[in-house]
Amino acid sequence: MTQGWVLKGFAGLRKWRGAGGLVTAAAAVASLLTAGPAQAESTVAAEPNGLRVISWNICGDAGGKRDGSTTGYCPYRNEPWKKVDEIVALADKHQADVLMLQEACGYTEGVATLPKEWELSHMKRLADKLADRGQWKLVHAANPRPNGASCADRDGGANVLGGEVGVLLAVKGEISDVQVIDLRSDDLAVEDFRGLLPDAEFANLTAEEATAFGKARKPLLCARLKGRQDKLCTTHLTAGNDTNMSEALRTIESRAIASSLASDIGTGLVIGGDLNASAASATLEPFAGKLDRCANDAHTHQTWAPGQAAARKYWLDHVFTTRRTAPRFISCQVDQSLMDTTQLGGDEQSNPPSAVSDHAPVISYLGVPGDLSGDAVPDLLAVADGTLRLHPGDGKGGLGAPTVIGRSGWSGASVTHRGDWTADGREDIVARVGSELRLFRNQGGGTIGGHFKLATGVPNDTRIVGTGDISGDGYPDLVAVSGDKLYRYDGVRGAEPSVKAAVEIGTGGWQDMMPASPGDADRDGRPDLLARDEGDGKLWLYRGSGTGTFVSADRVEYGFGYSKAARPLIASGGDANLDGKADMWATTGEGALLFYSGTPQGTDDGARTEVAPSGWATGIQSMS
């Protein structure tokens, strides 16, 4: 159990002007709750250097009625312990490193003596529950109600719930650099709404109204977790797309995020929350357009009013991260079992909700594409002498001593690895063995056991490559060269992974092409494809279209001198030397292994170095 509360203030927060007006770091210090010390760690640890982030609007303080007579009903609002139990169970299930919660009751002002009401908040209850699960730290930023009401002031809230509603960050480890950034500002002016409202509505907006909107606080809560490169942020943006003003305010808030996090967007950021808009909404574009999204096509919120024939579904909750050479999200899930799907009506006794919130959590696993061993460095697979060997990357383009992870039956196989197919946060291996497509689950450290059969009747000379998600559904995909054509297999992640029927995406000219997957070589947010023409020895970059295909019309000559005799085998290393560029390995006719470091523009293979002078000729059939 908790052996005391550590209360720490974070002062010295500053103001600066963002794209949408003055961005104010909150004057109030953010309180830090420490659930300490660890009594028992969970038995299944997350992969080292990976990051598992859960974002969830827990609907902790809306005041609507179950009978549907008022809007904003929150399931089990006055039973906060039920919500907290579900949060902890979800964190345990996914071995989360970070929890980003919206509409959570907590505190932001440091006090010498904790009030009784604090003991009833989601924040305190959660800290108590996490106390025996490692050293979790919790911070909170209030998003006060316009009337100043606390969580205890809602109907039935007294003596069961306390604190102020807002956003909460919980991180497992040592926290630092806590910031509370106000996405609106006291000096919000009419001019800030220019171009965001219709002309007539803009003309009627008064300075007093603009100022009032600015005084309605909308916090962005950020912190850093020791040992991780990313700044972690959560927020809850203005709701509603039924009025021009709500969309204008959300755009202003998004501009403020882009301005205040400008340096972090390019270097390392994970931001999640209830953003009250679809990912493609223009209101989110100022910051979201510069980041990669944890993509999953499942809706995250629904409402079902009395008299409606069906529920209304919304895609409002998201997690984004800094765009890298290869996508950082290796798993994106939406757990709809934790979202109430019942129709409003009656009361909670006669018509109980099916879950504790009206939103579903978004669960994102971040990792390093190409990393099988779990050390955050891309690795190389090779089929050699009928075995499958894992060569661990050293983070500099070189390789360590190989480990045999498949002892027999691999002769003639085409292997690839790019993406988590089994929803456990580890990158898995896909192989064409004979005429079957097989999925081998990574059991940890790159070891494999049995396999799932993905497809049969595949021509036994088919060459496959894992591309990550090119179809845009949030799941890893495969590209295959078979005969003279290029095909895409859309992956389906889960306990029983599968692929959909092959889709032809290249109609001819692929017979002599050897594919490789560099990730997003040109840094435009879409996975690309490399292909070596065995006829003329040229290496081509095909840019991803973002719609499940590659653009052949403007392919780029990425390199030359890659004839089959000169460079028998090629494999993309993702970002094997961790410098942010797409890399590649290739063997030589003499048996050496070369490393190509890529270029910032992603338009050619870059400088090469020799990784091994010999040993890569005899017996090695393929590599990935």
Side-chain angles (χ1 to χ4, degrees), residues 95-126:
Q95 285 296 283
D97 301 294
V98 182
L99 301 175
M100 299 178 173
L101 306 179
Q102 303 84 48
E103 292 190 24
C105 297
Y107 286 82
T108 56
E109 294 184 275
V111 292
T113 303
L114 306 184
K116 179 181 178 181
E117 189 184 359
W118 193 336
E119 304 288 327
L120 304 176
S121 68
H122 300 113
M123 185 175 185
K124 174 64 165 64
R125 295 176 189 271
L126 181 59

PDB file of all heavy atoms in Angstrom, residues 95-126:
ATOM      1  N   GLN A  95       0.297  -3.921 -19.886  1.00  0.00           N
ATOM      2  CA  GLN A  95       1.572  -3.527 -19.300  1.00  0.00           C
ATOM      3  C   GLN A  95       1.923  -2.101 -19.729  1.00  0.00           C
ATOM      4  O   GLN A  95       3.001  -1.825 -20.278  1.00  0.00           O
ATOM      5  CB  GLN A  95       2.671  -4.518 -19.686  1.00  0.00           C
ATOM      6  CG  GLN A  95       2.609  -5.834 -18.939  1.00  0.00           C
ATOM      7  CD  GLN A  95       2.830  -5.643 -17.451  1.00  0.00           C
ATOM      8  OE1 GLN A  95       3.944  -5.451 -16.980  1.00  0.00           O
ATOM      9  NE2 GLN A  95       1.759  -5.661 -16.681  1.00  0.00           N
ATOM     10  N   ALA A  96       0.993  -1.196 -19.484  1.00  0.00           N
ATOM     11  CA  ALA A  96       1.108   0.183 -19.943  1.00  0.00           C
ATOM     12  C   ALA A  96       2.246   0.913 -19.243  1.00  0.00           C
ATOM     13  O   ALA A  96       2.529   0.698 -18.060  1.00  0.00           O
ATOM     14  CB  ALA A  96      -0.195   0.922 -19.711  1.00  0.00           C
ATOM     15  N   ASP A  97       2.887   1.808 -19.990  1.00  0.00           N
ATOM     16  CA  ASP A  97       3.875   2.724 -19.434  1.00  0.00           C
ATOM     17  C   ASP A  97       3.264   4.088 -19.145  1.00  0.00           C
ATOM     18  O   ASP A  97       3.746   4.810 -18.268  1.00  0.00           O
ATOM     19  CB  ASP A  97       5.037   2.922 -20.421  1.00  0.00           C
ATOM     20  CG  ASP A  97       5.735   1.625 -20.769  1.00  0.00           C
ATOM     21  OD1 ASP A  97       6.349   1.036 -19.866  1.00  0.00           O
ATOM     22  OD2 ASP A  97       5.656   1.188 -21.928  1.00  0.00           O
ATOM     23  N   VAL A  98       2.232   4.435 -19.900  1.00  0.00           N
ATOM     24  CA  VAL A  98       1.635   5.768 -19.805  1.00  0.00           C
ATOM     25  C   VAL A  98       0.122   5.647 -19.897  1.00  0.00           C
ATOM     26  O   VAL A  98      -0.403   4.951 -20.771  1.00  0.00           O
ATOM     27  CB  VAL A  98       2.139   6.700 -20.942  1.00  0.00           C
ATOM     28  CG1 VAL A  98       1.540   8.097 -20.794  1.00  0.00           C
ATOM     29  CG2 VAL A  98       3.661   6.766 -20.951  1.00  0.00           C
ATOM     30  N   LEU A  99      -0.572   6.340 -18.981  1.00  0.00           N
ATOM     31  CA  LEU A  99      -2.023   6.476 -19.053  1.00  0.00           C
ATOM     32  C   LEU A  99      -2.347   7.939 -19.286  1.00  0.00           C
ATOM     33  O   LEU A  99      -1.871   8.813 -18.556  1.00  0.00           O
ATOM     34  CB  LEU A  99      -2.679   6.002 -17.755  1.00  0.00           C
ATOM     35  CG  LEU A  99      -2.426   4.553 -17.332  1.00  0.00           C
ATOM     36  CD1 LEU A  99      -3.036   4.286 -15.960  1.00  0.00           C
ATOM     37  CD2 LEU A  99      -2.995   3.582 -18.356  1.00  0.00           C
ATOM     38  N   MET A 100      -3.144   8.228 -20.312  1.00  0.00           N
ATOM     39  CA  MET A 100      -3.612   9.573 -20.606  1.00  0.00           C
ATOM     40  C   MET A 100      -5.126   9.560 -20.434  1.00  0.00           C
ATOM     41  O   MET A 100      -5.838   8.944 -21.243  1.00  0.00           O
ATOM     42  CB  MET A 100      -3.235   9.976 -22.034  1.00  0.00           C
ATOM     43  CG  MET A 100      -1.742   9.990 -22.309  1.00  0.00           C
ATOM     44  SD  MET A 100      -1.395  10.426 -24.044  1.00  0.00           S
ATOM     45  CE  MET A 100       0.408  10.559 -24.000  1.00  0.00           C
ATOM     46  N   LEU A 101      -5.629  10.214 -19.400  1.00  0.00           N
ATOM     47  CA  LEU A 101      -7.049  10.156 -19.070  1.00  0.00           C
ATOM     48  C   LEU A 101      -7.677  11.534 -19.196  1.00  0.00           C
ATOM     49  O   LEU A 101      -7.094  12.531 -18.784  1.00  0.00           O
ATOM     50  CB  LEU A 101      -7.245   9.626 -17.656  1.00  0.00           C
ATOM     51  CG  LEU A 101      -6.588   8.276 -17.341  1.00  0.00           C
ATOM     52  CD1 LEU A 101      -6.844   7.888 -15.893  1.00  0.00           C
ATOM     53  CD2 LEU A 101      -7.088   7.182 -18.280  1.00  0.00           C
ATOM     54  N   GLN A 102      -8.880  11.568 -19.766  1.00  0.00           N
ATOM     55  CA  GLN A 102      -9.632  12.804 -19.881  1.00  0.00           C
ATOM     56  C   GLN A 102     -10.924  12.669 -19.073  1.00  0.00           C
ATOM     57  O   GLN A 102     -11.415  11.564 -18.835  1.00  0.00           O
ATOM     58  CB  GLN A 102      -9.950  13.128 -21.342  1.00  0.00           C
ATOM     59  CG  GLN A 102      -8.715  13.234 -22.236  1.00  0.00           C
ATOM     60  CD  GLN A 102      -8.253  11.882 -22.745  1.00  0.00           C
ATOM     61  OE1 GLN A 102      -9.058  11.085 -23.233  1.00  0.00           O
ATOM     62  NE2 GLN A 102      -6.949  11.612 -22.620  1.00  0.00           N
ATOM     63  N   GLU A 103     -11.471  13.826 -18.662  1.00  0.00           N
ATOM     64  CA  GLU A 103     -12.639  13.885 -17.784  1.00  0.00           C
ATOM     65  C   GLU A 103     -12.384  13.075 -16.518  1.00  0.00           C
ATOM     66  O   GLU A 103     -13.241  12.308 -16.060  1.00  0.00           O
ATOM     67  CB  GLU A 103     -13.906  13.417 -18.498  1.00  0.00           C
ATOM     68  CG  GLU A 103     -14.351  14.373 -19.604  1.00  0.00           C
ATOM     69  CD  GLU A 103     -15.727  14.049 -20.167  1.00  0.00           C
ATOM     70  OE1 GLU A 103     -16.527  13.406 -19.454  1.00  0.00           O
ATOM     71  OE2 GLU A 103     -15.988  14.445 -21.313  1.00  0.00           O
ATOM     72  N   ALA A 104     -11.204  13.266 -15.960  1.00  0.00           N
ATOM     73  CA  ALA A 104     -10.820  12.609 -14.715  1.00  0.00           C
ATOM     74  C   ALA A 104     -10.765  13.648 -13.604  1.00  0.00           C
ATOM     75  O   ALA A 104     -10.248  14.756 -13.804  1.00  0.00           O
ATOM     76  CB  ALA A 104      -9.467  11.930 -14.858  1.00  0.00           C
ATOM     77  N   CYS A 105     -11.270  13.302 -12.447  1.00  0.00           N
ATOM     78  CA  CYS A 105     -11.288  14.235 -11.313  1.00  0.00           C
ATOM     79  C   CYS A 105      -9.986  14.125 -10.531  1.00  0.00           C
ATOM     80  O   CYS A 105      -9.542  13.030 -10.177  1.00  0.00           O
ATOM     81  CB  CYS A 105     -12.476  13.936 -10.402  1.00  0.00           C
ATOM     82  SG  CYS A 105     -14.069  14.180 -11.209  1.00  0.00           S
ATOM     83  N   GLY A 106      -9.369  15.273 -10.264  1.00  0.00           N
ATOM     84  CA  GLY A 106      -8.111  15.304  -9.536  1.00  0.00           C
ATOM     85  C   GLY A 106      -7.828  16.699  -9.037  1.00  0.00           C
ATOM     86  O   GLY A 106      -8.736  17.534  -8.936  1.00  0.00           O
ATOM     87  N   TYR A 107      -6.563  16.974  -8.745  1.00  0.00           N
ATOM     88  CA  TYR A 107      -6.159  18.251  -8.170  1.00  0.00           C
ATOM     89  C   TYR A 107      -4.919  18.782  -8.855  1.00  0.00           C
ATOM     90  O   TYR A 107      -4.071  18.017  -9.302  1.00  0.00           O
ATOM     91  CB  TYR A 107      -5.887  18.113  -6.662  1.00  0.00           C
ATOM     92  CG  TYR A 107      -7.145  17.983  -5.845  1.00  0.00           C
ATOM     93  CD1 TYR A 107      -7.775  16.752  -5.726  1.00  0.00           C
ATOM     94  CD2 TYR A 107      -7.703  19.084  -5.237  1.00  0.00           C
ATOM     95  CE1 TYR A 107      -8.928  16.613  -5.003  1.00  0.00           C
ATOM     96  CE2 TYR A 107      -8.865  18.970  -4.499  1.00  0.00           C
ATOM     97  CZ  TYR A 107      -9.490  17.725  -4.377  1.00  0.00           C
ATOM     98  OH  TYR A 107     -10.647  17.614  -3.653  1.00  0.00           O
ATOM     99  N   THR A 108      -4.798  20.091  -8.903  1.00  0.00           N
ATOM    100  CA  THR A 108      -3.629  20.713  -9.507  1.00  0.00           C
ATOM    101  C   THR A 108      -2.933  21.691  -8.576  1.00  0.00           C
ATOM    102  O   THR A 108      -1.863  22.169  -8.895  1.00  0.00           O
ATOM    103  CB  THR A 108      -4.016  21.480 -10.778  1.00  0.00           C
ATOM    104  OG1 THR A 108      -5.031  22.436 -10.464  1.00  0.00           O
ATOM    105  CG2 THR A 108      -4.542  20.540 -11.838  1.00  0.00           C
ATOM    106  N   GLU A 109      -3.510  22.010  -7.466  1.00  0.00           N
ATOM    107  CA  GLU A 109      -2.904  22.998  -6.578  1.00  0.00           C
ATOM    108  C   GLU A 109      -2.296  22.306  -5.363  1.00  0.00           C
ATOM    109  O   GLU A 109      -2.955  21.516  -4.700  1.00  0.00           O
ATOM    110  CB  GLU A 109      -3.946  24.035  -6.140  1.00  0.00           C
ATOM    111  CG  GLU A 109      -4.439  24.896  -7.295  1.00  0.00           C
ATOM    112  CD  GLU A 109      -5.400  25.971  -6.835  1.00  0.00           C
ATOM    113  OE1 GLU A 109      -6.593  25.677  -6.715  1.00  0.00           O
ATOM    114  OE2 GLU A 109      -4.946  27.101  -6.602  1.00  0.00           O
ATOM    115  N   GLY A 110      -1.045  22.633  -5.072  1.00  0.00           N
ATOM    116  CA  GLY A 110      -0.373  22.032  -3.935  1.00  0.00           C
ATOM    117  C   GLY A 110      -0.906  22.603  -2.633  1.00  0.00           C
ATOM    118  O   GLY A 110      -1.095  23.797  -2.489  1.00  0.00           O
ATOM    119  N   VAL A 111      -1.162  21.729  -1.687  1.00  0.00           N
ATOM    120  CA  VAL A 111      -1.641  22.147  -0.370  1.00  0.00           C
ATOM    121  C   VAL A 111      -0.873  21.377   0.693  1.00  0.00           C
ATOM    122  O   VAL A 111      -0.366  20.289   0.454  1.00  0.00           O
ATOM    123  CB  VAL A 111      -3.154  21.880  -0.213  1.00  0.00           C
ATOM    124  CG1 VAL A 111      -3.964  22.788  -1.120  1.00  0.00           C
ATOM    125  CG2 VAL A 111      -3.488  20.424  -0.472  1.00  0.00           C
ATOM    126  N   ALA A 112      -0.789  21.960   1.855  1.00  0.00           N
ATOM    127  CA  ALA A 112      -0.024  21.330   2.925  1.00  0.00           C
ATOM    128  C   ALA A 112      -0.748  20.103   3.471  1.00  0.00           C
ATOM    129  O   ALA A 112      -0.127  19.090   3.793  1.00  0.00           O
ATOM    130  CB  ALA A 112       0.225  22.344   4.044  1.00  0.00           C
ATOM    131  N   THR A 113      -2.051  20.209   3.588  1.00  0.00           N
ATOM    132  CA  THR A 113      -2.853  19.100   4.118  1.00  0.00           C
ATOM    133  C   THR A 113      -3.863  18.675   3.072  1.00  0.00           C
ATOM    134  O   THR A 113      -4.599  19.505   2.526  1.00  0.00           O
ATOM    135  CB  THR A 113      -3.588  19.528   5.402  1.00  0.00           C
ATOM    136  OG1 THR A 113      -2.630  19.981   6.361  1.00  0.00           O
ATOM    137  CG2 THR A 113      -4.376  18.349   5.975  1.00  0.00           C
ATOM    138  N   LEU A 114      -3.925  17.415   2.795  1.00  0.00           N
ATOM    139  CA  LEU A 114      -4.841  16.937   1.775  1.00  0.00           C
ATOM    140  C   LEU A 114      -6.268  16.985   2.294  1.00  0.00           C
ATOM    141  O   LEU A 114      -6.576  16.423   3.337  1.00  0.00           O
ATOM    142  CB  LEU A 114      -4.491  15.505   1.384  1.00  0.00           C
ATOM    143  CG  LEU A 114      -3.055  15.240   0.936  1.00  0.00           C
ATOM    144  CD1 LEU A 114      -2.904  13.802   0.492  1.00  0.00           C
ATOM    145  CD2 LEU A 114      -2.654  16.182  -0.170  1.00  0.00           C
ATOM    146  N   PRO A 115      -7.174  17.644   1.561  1.00  0.00           N
ATOM    147  CA  PRO A 115      -8.568  17.670   1.994  1.00  0.00           C
ATOM    148  C   PRO A 115      -9.211  16.304   1.831  1.00  0.00           C
ATOM    149  O   PRO A 115      -8.793  15.486   1.017  1.00  0.00           O
ATOM    150  CB  PRO A 115      -9.206  18.693   1.039  1.00  0.00           C
ATOM    151  CG  PRO A 115      -8.347  18.651  -0.180  1.00  0.00           C
ATOM    152  CD  PRO A 115      -6.967  18.377   0.297  1.00  0.00           C
ATOM    153  N   LYS A 116     -10.258  16.077   2.617  1.00  0.00           N
ATOM    154  CA  LYS A 116     -10.960  14.804   2.545  1.00  0.00           C
ATOM    155  C   LYS A 116     -11.483  14.542   1.139  1.00  0.00           C
ATOM    156  O   LYS A 116     -11.474  13.410   0.651  1.00  0.00           O
ATOM    157  CB  LYS A 116     -12.105  14.796   3.545  1.00  0.00           C
ATOM    158  CG  LYS A 116     -12.914  13.493   3.525  1.00  0.00           C
ATOM    159  CD  LYS A 116     -14.067  13.535   4.517  1.00  0.00           C
ATOM    160  CE  LYS A 116     -14.878  12.238   4.446  1.00  0.00           C
ATOM    161  NZ  LYS A 116     -16.023  12.259   5.384  1.00  0.00           N
ATOM    162  N   GLU A 117     -11.930  15.622   0.493  1.00  0.00           N
ATOM    163  CA  GLU A 117     -12.494  15.477  -0.843  1.00  0.00           C
ATOM    164  C   GLU A 117     -11.490  14.868  -1.819  1.00  0.00           C
ATOM    165  O   GLU A 117     -11.854  14.137  -2.728  1.00  0.00           O
ATOM    166  CB  GLU A 117     -12.952  16.850  -1.347  1.00  0.00           C
ATOM    167  CG  GLU A 117     -13.738  16.801  -2.635  1.00  0.00           C
ATOM    168  CD  GLU A 117     -14.074  18.192  -3.149  1.00  0.00           C
ATOM    169  OE1 GLU A 117     -13.713  19.179  -2.484  1.00  0.00           O
ATOM    170  OE2 GLU A 117     -14.657  18.270  -4.233  1.00  0.00           O
ATOM    171  N   TRP A 118     -10.191  15.178  -1.616  1.00  0.00           N
ATOM    172  CA  TRP A 118      -9.148  14.636  -2.488  1.00  0.00           C
ATOM    173  C   TRP A 118      -9.155  13.113  -2.465  1.00  0.00           C
ATOM    174  O   TRP A 118      -8.932  12.439  -3.459  1.00  0.00           O
ATOM    175  CB  TRP A 118      -7.801  15.180  -2.031  1.00  0.00           C
ATOM    176  CG  TRP A 118      -6.681  14.969  -3.005  1.00  0.00           C
ATOM    177  CD1 TRP A 118      -6.582  14.025  -3.963  1.00  0.00           C
ATOM    178  CD2 TRP A 118      -5.502  15.757  -3.101  1.00  0.00           C
ATOM    179  NE1 TRP A 118      -5.402  14.146  -4.658  1.00  0.00           N
ATOM    180  CE2 TRP A 118      -4.721  15.211  -4.142  1.00  0.00           C
ATOM    181  CE3 TRP A 118      -5.018  16.859  -2.401  1.00  0.00           C
ATOM    182  CZ2 TRP A 118      -3.480  15.731  -4.490  1.00  0.00           C
ATOM    183  CZ3 TRP A 118      -3.786  17.379  -2.754  1.00  0.00           C
ATOM    184  CH2 TRP A 118      -3.031  16.833  -3.796  1.00  0.00           C
ATOM    185  N   GLU A 119      -9.409  12.566  -1.286  1.00  0.00           N
ATOM    186  CA  GLU A 119      -9.382  11.118  -1.136  1.00  0.00           C
ATOM    187  C   GLU A 119     -10.394  10.428  -2.048  1.00  0.00           C
ATOM    188  O   GLU A 119     -10.280   9.234  -2.339  1.00  0.00           O
ATOM    189  CB  GLU A 119      -9.684  10.747   0.318  1.00  0.00           C
ATOM    190  CG  GLU A 119      -8.776  11.391   1.347  1.00  0.00           C
ATOM    191  CD  GLU A 119      -7.385  10.800   1.329  1.00  0.00           C
ATOM    192  OE1 GLU A 119      -7.269   9.595   1.036  1.00  0.00           O
ATOM    193  OE2 GLU A 119      -6.433  11.525   1.610  1.00  0.00           O
ATOM    194  N   LEU A 120     -11.410  11.175  -2.512  1.00  0.00           N
ATOM    195  CA  LEU A 120     -12.483  10.588  -3.314  1.00  0.00           C
ATOM    196  C   LEU A 120     -12.261  10.746  -4.816  1.00  0.00           C
ATOM    197  O   LEU A 120     -13.052  10.239  -5.610  1.00  0.00           O
ATOM    198  CB  LEU A 120     -13.825  11.228  -2.929  1.00  0.00           C
ATOM    199  CG  LEU A 120     -14.205  11.151  -1.448  1.00  0.00           C
ATOM    200  CD1 LEU A 120     -15.503  11.909  -1.205  1.00  0.00           C
ATOM    201  CD2 LEU A 120     -14.336   9.701  -1.001  1.00  0.00           C
ATOM    202  N   SER A 121     -11.220  11.443  -5.212  1.00  0.00           N
ATOM    203  CA  SER A 121     -10.997  11.719  -6.631  1.00  0.00           C
ATOM    204  C   SER A 121     -10.502  10.467  -7.366  1.00  0.00           C
ATOM    205  O   SER A 121      -9.973   9.526  -6.770  1.00  0.00           O
ATOM    206  CB  SER A 121      -9.974  12.838  -6.799  1.00  0.00           C
ATOM    207  OG  SER A 121      -8.692  12.407  -6.370  1.00  0.00           O
ATOM    208  N   HIS A 122     -10.693  10.475  -8.696  1.00  0.00           N
ATOM    209  CA  HIS A 122     -10.126   9.400  -9.517  1.00  0.00           C
ATOM    210  C   HIS A 122      -8.615   9.338  -9.336  1.00  0.00           C
ATOM    211  O   HIS A 122      -8.016   8.249  -9.305  1.00  0.00           O
ATOM    212  CB  HIS A 122     -10.441   9.633 -11.000  1.00  0.00           C
ATOM    213  CG  HIS A 122     -11.900   9.677 -11.315  1.00  0.00           C
ATOM    214  ND1 HIS A 122     -12.534  10.815 -11.732  1.00  0.00           N
ATOM    215  CD2 HIS A 122     -12.855   8.698 -11.271  1.00  0.00           C
ATOM    216  CE1 HIS A 122     -13.815  10.553 -11.942  1.00  0.00           C
ATOM    217  NE2 HIS A 122     -14.041   9.287 -11.673  1.00  0.00           N
ATOM    218  N   MET A 123      -8.009  10.494  -9.217  1.00  0.00           N
ATOM    219  CA  MET A 123      -6.547  10.585  -9.125  1.00  0.00           C
ATOM    220  C   MET A 123      -6.020   9.842  -7.896  1.00  0.00           C
ATOM    221  O   MET A 123      -5.096   9.029  -7.979  1.00  0.00           O
ATOM    222  CB  MET A 123      -6.143  12.048  -9.090  1.00  0.00           C
ATOM    223  CG  MET A 123      -4.651  12.319  -9.125  1.00  0.00           C
ATOM    224  SD  MET A 123      -4.410  14.113  -9.235  1.00  0.00           S
ATOM    225  CE  MET A 123      -2.631  14.196  -9.421  1.00  0.00           C
ATOM    226  N   LYS A 124      -6.616  10.117  -6.734  1.00  0.00           N
ATOM    227  CA  LYS A 124      -6.161   9.480  -5.499  1.00  0.00           C
ATOM    228  C   LYS A 124      -6.481   7.989  -5.494  1.00  0.00           C
ATOM    229  O   LYS A 124      -5.653   7.148  -5.097  1.00  0.00           O
ATOM    230  CB  LYS A 124      -6.811  10.168  -4.300  1.00  0.00           C
ATOM    231  CG  LYS A 124      -6.527   9.510  -2.951  1.00  0.00           C
ATOM    232  CD  LYS A 124      -5.058   9.560  -2.580  1.00  0.00           C
ATOM    233  CE  LYS A 124      -4.856   9.251  -1.105  1.00  0.00           C
ATOM    234  NZ  LYS A 124      -5.266   7.879  -0.745  1.00  0.00           N
ATOM    235  N   ARG A 125      -7.683   7.652  -5.942  1.00  0.00           N
ATOM    236  CA  ARG A 125      -8.055   6.239  -5.989  1.00  0.00           C
ATOM    237  C   ARG A 125      -7.126   5.452  -6.924  1.00  0.00           C
ATOM    238  O   ARG A 125      -6.722   4.323  -6.621  1.00  0.00           O
ATOM    239  CB  ARG A 125      -9.499   6.084  -6.459  1.00  0.00           C
ATOM    240  CG  ARG A 125     -10.554   6.660  -5.513  1.00  0.00           C
ATOM    241  CD  ARG A 125     -11.947   6.527  -6.134  1.00  0.00           C
ATOM    242  NE  ARG A 125     -12.969   7.233  -5.402  1.00  0.00           N
ATOM    243  CZ  ARG A 125     -13.677   6.729  -4.401  1.00  0.00           C
ATOM    244  NH1 ARG A 125     -13.439   5.499  -3.985  1.00  0.00           N
ATOM    245  NH2 ARG A 125     -14.611   7.446  -3.813  1.00  0.00           N
ATOM    246  N   LEU A 126      -6.788   6.060  -8.056  1.00  0.00           N
ATOM    247  CA  LEU A 126      -5.909   5.402  -9.017  1.00  0.00           C
ATOM    248  C   LEU A 126      -4.505   5.245  -8.457  1.00  0.00           C
ATOM    249  O   LEU A 126      -3.874   4.185  -8.609  1.00  0.00           O
ATOM    250  CB  LEU A 126      -5.881   6.192 -10.319  1.00  0.00           C
ATOM    251  CG  LEU A 126      -5.018   5.628 -11.450  1.00  0.00           C
ATOM    252  CD1 LEU A 126      -5.468   4.217 -11.833  1.00  0.00           C
ATOM    253  CD2 LEU A 126      -5.066   6.536 -12.678  1.00  0.00           C
TER     254      LEU A 126
END
